Amino acid sequence: MNNKISIKAARVNANLTQKEAALKLDVSKDTIGNWERGKSFPSVSKIPVIEEVYNIKYENIIFLPTNYA
């Protein structure tokens, strides 16, 4: 099964705003935005939390931006 989606799409699919995701992941809203734009990446310790909060496996998340504008 090859259902890879961007980290932003994973958040949206979880019906979370950046602010809500930030609260659940114990990071700032800016950090969520940076992850989604590919300016930074989650630490290894955040991966299991992202999997749980976004209800998606790590291997199905694309951590690179899909919009290069």
Side-chain angles (χ1 to χ4, degrees):
M1 201 171 185
N2 190 8
N3 293 331
K4 293 188 180 276
I5 62 171
S6 70
I7 192 165
K8 179 178 181 178
R11 174 183 56 78
V12 171
N13 287 349
N15 293 315
L16 295 170
T17 64
Q18 284 187 342
K19 184 176 181 179
E20 291 167 337
L23 288 170
K24 289 179 178 280
L25 296 169
D26 195 29
V27 297
S28 71
K29 182 177 172 257
D30 288 341
T31 296
I32 299 291
N34 286 335
W35 291 350
E36 292 179 359
R37 288 189 304 278
K39 293 187 175 216
S40 65
F41 301 96
S43 65
V44 172
S45 65
K46 289 293 178 192
I47 299 301
V49 184
I50 291 169
E51 287 182 315
E52 183 178 331
V53 170
Y54 289 3
N55 194 30
I56 189 169
K57 288 290 187 191
Y58 168 78
E59 58 265 15
N60 293 326
I61 302 172
I62 299 169
F63 289 95
L64 298 173
T66 56
N67 180 358
Y68 300 103

